Amino acid sequence: MSTVKVLLSGDPAGNLGALFKRVAAVNKANGPFDYLFCVGPFFPIAGASEDSAAPDAETIKFLTGKQEVPVPTFFIGAFGAGSRQAMAAAEASGTARLQWLGAAGVVRLKGLNVAFLDGLAAPRGQGNAGTDPTTLHGGRYNTKVHWDALTAAVERTEGDIDLLLTCDWPADVAAGLPSNAGPPDGAAAGGSEPLSAIAVAIRPRYHVCGGRGVFWARLPYMNKDLGAGSHATRFIALAAVGNAAKQKSLHALGMVPAAHMDASALNARPEGATGSPYEAAAASRKRSAAESRDEELGIQDWRWQDRKRARPPAAAPSLGRPGVTKDDSCSVYVRNLPFHGTEQDIEDHFSSAGEVVDVRRGTQPDGKLQGFGHVQFATEECVQRALQLHGSVLKGREIFVDAASNRPAPAPLPAGQPVDGCWFCLSNPNADVELVASVGEECYVAVDKGAINDGHVLVVPIEHFPNTLGISPKAHAEMDRYLTALASCYAAQGKEAVTFERFMAFRKSGGNHCHVNVVPAPAAHAARAREVFDKAAASIGAEFTELPKASGEAFRSYLKRAVGDDEYLRVGLPGGVQLVHPIRRGERFPINFGRDVASAIAGTPDRADWKKCSVDAAEETARTERFKASFKAHDIMQ
């Protein structure tokens, strides 16, 4: 299966020089990328009266091909200051590297089905205006003629839609989420209702938009099964280019077209996936309407003393049973629990999946019962059966069930959001992208800035997660693929890979960004790595535990049991050996321990202090190019 590498940009808003400068740097370091797609307003944001103004000279140069763009670029958002003259100039020049996708439709690019809807939703009362689906109504609005044109184009398209590109957010996209997983305050307000209907109808794998000035990646949601399986949609909103808050405006994806994917992979349920937000919002509106009708009938029928049915009293909280140790691997997380459902009601409902040993359901700060809780079983096998109760009805309310180990943990920032100033967030304008040697769909490989030796690299998830336990299963699987590829690369040089991950629970600056150090060491030295690590740990009164050999989610389950929510140092050695030392609260554990020992094993103990290993930019670039050349035959993205 061939991977198509794409870049996605939020509102260019006329900042084309800054956009393409950034794209050129990313493409040089991590490319080549096949395409750049721009969403949100492409031209400077202004009122409709400014659309006919004169465009700036730089914009004209890019649109007419006089100034080359670094990657073949497609855009929507053909409105804003100077847009009419600029678009006319672009059409006359016919440049092939920078193109407007159109008002509405579908294009096929290297196997990817890319759907697009330009413009903003027409103001209320103008939804039926316009008759030409190839131009925007009033120069900037989409109407029913465009919505129909898009859905018709999708119906004519063979296969699933890989990307849906829009300028605005759909209404209700934030519905059905846990309270800590929503977008920034006010960002999701309003939104296009027709766009929600389109998203439901065409079920894109990714829905990417701009227009709101913020970055937000929604938890994946599952689409309705139309008979061939239910696949997930990932909604990504990107901030504007050059925004003052330095929120993420550029996003990279390595995509295998849906047409080339195995059905089981396409329909796999991602970690933390929710039901459709649009269905959740519709159900909520339906309940509200029914309650309103009931209330109205109650008012009108007072003379017959036909009182409204009394609401059942709320159940008591369930605070956990004595003697039961909390174990997320044997638990499910349940949302939308009825407020009058008792602990016994919940246990009875889930007993069909196996022996229930605990029910935990607390209260909110105001004392009201929470609408979610945990059910813990005697064995992990029970969890798989309990997941089949997702969508079942308990005391008249549909409940949603997910494995507790998959539930996103609360964090100072929503998990996966880029952090201003983080060295490892590629969206940071000051990130050293020149050190990046390979970019996958979920992770990237970069040469260490203060490398122990020429082969010393970092494997880093693209999104900002604190540690290996926090990243998604898909990111963890790709990280493992990179680690295997690096081990093969080193083996070809007669060396072995030694890895270490130091998780530190920073409370400021967005917290730790997960990264795994990978250091090549002479095979003879690596054979003694276990002994060296154990002796070094003993010298400071610490001890390593060897984890059972496993991969994927089974490995992370063992790691979680070993460290809980504590900080840790995890070490990977030849032969698949994994050691871990949990760093308990109050323990003084040297922050540089992993690097100190890895330097000794690599035969370069004098390079333990990374600050003393810094080199100038020219040498950093040369070192990165040397590594790229040696890794090329093993790179999972080649």
Side-chain angles (χ1 to χ4, degrees):
M1 296 185 295
S2 59
T3 299
V4 184
K5 296 180 68 173
V6 302
L7 287 170
L8 304 162
S9 170
D11 313 1
N15 296 316
L16 302 189
L19 169 64
F20 290 126
K21 181 179 179 181
R22 177 67 172 160
V23 168
V26 173
N27 190 54
K28 180 180 179 181
N30 312 314
F33 285 89
D34 296 293
Y35 304 109
L36 166 65
F37 296 105
C38 299
V39 296
F42 190 74
F43 296 95
I45 297 172
S49 62
E50 295 297 312
D51 288 1
S52 57
D56 65 81
E58 182 180 58
T59 298
I60 291 294
K61 287 181 180 179
F62 280 117
L63 283 169
T64 57
K66 293 179 180 179
Q67 190 162 340
E68 183 117 348
V69 297
V71 174
T73 302
F74 296 89
F75 69 93
I76 55 175
F79 54 88
S83 57
R84 293 185 183 176
Q85 292 185 43
M87 291 298 291
E91 185 176 357
S93 70
T95 177
R97 296 275 292 183
L98 177 58
Q99 298 182 39
W100 179 50
L101 281 168
V106 178
V107 294
R108 191 175 182 86
L109 300 167
K110 290 194 174 183
L112 291 179
N113 287 329
V114 181
F116 55 90
L117 179 65
D118 200 356
L120 307 173
R124 190 172 298 277
Q126 298 184 38
N128 291 317
T131 57
D132 184 0
T134 66
T135 61
L136 295 176
H137 175 60
R140 58 177 53 204
Y141 298 112
N142 55 63
T143 65
K144 188 175 185 301
V145 68
H146 303 102
W147 312 330
D148 291 345
L150 174 54
T151 52
V154 170
E155 289 173 0
R156 294 192 300 268
T157 300
E158 183 178 348
D160 291 299
I161 297 299
D162 293 290
L163 277 170
L164 171 61
L165 309 176
T166 64
C167 285
D168 200 4
W169 292 30
D172 302 319
V173 69
L177 284 169
S179 58
N180 68 329
D185 289 345
S192 168
E193 292 181 6
L195 190 50
S196 300
I198 288 170
V200 170
I202 72 176
R203 310 190 313 157
R205 291 172 59 208
Y206 285 86
H207 182 173
V208 183
C209 69
R212 298 295 178 101
V214 298
F215 171 78
W216 181 56
R218 190 196 189 281
L219 290 176
Y221 67 83
M222 301 304 295
N223 291 282
K224 186 176 182 180
D225 187 350
L226 300 180
S230 172
H231 66 259
T233 292
R234 290 169 169 83
F235 176 85
I236 301 172
L238 293 166
V241 173
N243 66 89
K246 297 183 180 179
Q247 293 200 44
K248 186 173 185 178
S249 63
L250 196 65
H251 188 78
L253 288 177
M255 299 184 67
V256 175
H260 301 166
M261 293 179 68
D262 180 80
S264 60
L266 178 63
N267 297 328
R269 184 184 182 92
E271 175 198 13
T274 71
S276 167
Y278 312 115
E279 292 180 8
S284 177
R285 286 191 290 268
K286 186 175 180 180
R287 285 194 300 270
S288 297
E291 291 172 359
S292 297
R293 286 195 300 272
D294 289 346
E295 186 171 339
E296 183 178 350
L297 286 171
I299 294 172
Q300 293 178 356
D301 294 347
W302 65 270
R303 61 176 65 86
W304 289 283
Q305 301 298 311
D306 187 10
R307 299 178 182 272
K308 290 175 64 179
R309 184 173 55 196
R311 185 185 296 271
S318 303
L319 304 179
R321 299 173 183 177
V324 177
T325 300
K326 179 183 175 184
D327 186 350
D328 280 352
S329 67
C330 292
S331 304
V332 293
Y333 173 63
V334 190
R335 293 184 292 112
N336 207 38
L337 287 167
F339 291 103
H340 58 283
T342 65
E343 180 175 327
Q344 189 62 52
D345 291 331
I346 297 171
E347 180 175 352
D348 290 346
H349 188 79
F350 281 93
S351 61
S352 61
E355 181 187 355
V356 175
V357 298
D358 199 7
V359 176
R360 300 184 297 277
R361 186 185 188 189
T363 57
Q364 302 176 42
D366 60 4
K368 293 182 180 179
L369 198 62
Q370 290 174 334
F372 61 88
H374 292 80
V375 178
Q376 184 169 323
F377 296 92
T379 66
E380 292 184 22
E381 289 73 20
C382 299
V383 171
Q384 297 304 313
R385 293 191 291 270
L387 293 176
Q388 303 305 311
L389 295 173
H390 179 81
S392 62
V393 176
L394 172 60
K395 305 292 283 185
R397 183 178 276 198
E398 183 181 14
I399 59 173
F400 308 102
V401 185
D402 194 9
S405 56
N406 288 347
R407 187 172 64 93
L413 290 176
Q417 301 291 331
V419 173
D420 184 21
C422 173
W423 293 355
F424 301 116
C425 285
L426 295 181
S427 59
N428 177 6
N430 298 319
D432 291 311
V433 295
E434 296 79 9
L435 299 175
V436 176
S438 176
V439 177
E441 186 172 346
E442 303 287 339
C443 302
Y444 68 90
V445 175
V447 173
D448 190 84
K449 192 169 181 66
I452 291 172
N453 53 31
D454 259 11
H456 180 190
V457 297
L458 308 176
V459 182
V460 188
I462 292 172
E463 304 295 355
H464 189 111
F465 289 94
N467 55 29
T468 294
L469 293 172
I471 63 178
S472 70
K474 189 175 180 182
H476 184 231
E478 187 170 279
M479 180 177 283
D480 279 349
R481 288 177 62 206
Y482 265 128
L483 292 173
T484 300
L486 287 164
S488 297
C489 176
Y490 300 152
Q493 305 167 26
K495 298 179 179 180
E496 298 275 6
V498 175
T499 70
F500 62 93
E501 177 196 8
R502 172 70 155 93
F503 165 51
M504 295 177 287
F506 293 132
R507 305 303 179 193
K508 296 180 180 180
S509 302
N512 188 65
H513 189 140
C514 175
H515 59 283
V516 177
N517 284 263
V518 190
V519 181
H525 293 196
R528 298 183 55 247
R530 172 69 185 269
E531 177 186 351
V532 176
F533 268 104
D534 281 341
K535 285 185 176 179
S539 70
I540 59 171
E543 184 178 7
F544 280 103
T545 298
E546 182 173 347
L547 298 174
K549 288 189 175 181
S551 60
E553 296 311 289
F555 167 74
R556 293 208 291 180
S557 176
Y558 288 128
L559 178 60
K560 177 66 175 177
R561 291 182 187 182
V563 303
D565 295 325
D566 289 328
E567 296 183 354
Y568 62 83
L569 176 70
R570 178 171 66 91
V571 175
L573 303 177
V577 175
Q578 290 283 330
L579 309 178
V580 67
H581 172 70
I583 303 171
R584 305 302 182 189
R585 188 180 298 274
E587 179 181 354
R588 298 179 66 84
F589 191 87
I591 193 171
N592 211 41
F593 181 92
R595 185 180 172 105
D596 287 344
V597 180
S599 299
I601 295 171
T604 53
D606 56 316
R607 298 185 68 81
D609 186 349
W610 73 269
K611 295 178 182 178
K612 296 179 180 179
C613 300
S614 60
V615 294
D616 60 28
E619 175 55 25
E620 285 182 343
T621 300
R623 180 181 290 167
T624 303
E625 292 304 317
R626 290 196 297 271
F627 175 77
K628 283 183 178 180
S630 67
F631 186 53
K632 184 175 181 180
H634 308 274
D635 191 346
I636 67 174
M637 297 308 295
Q638 292 295 327

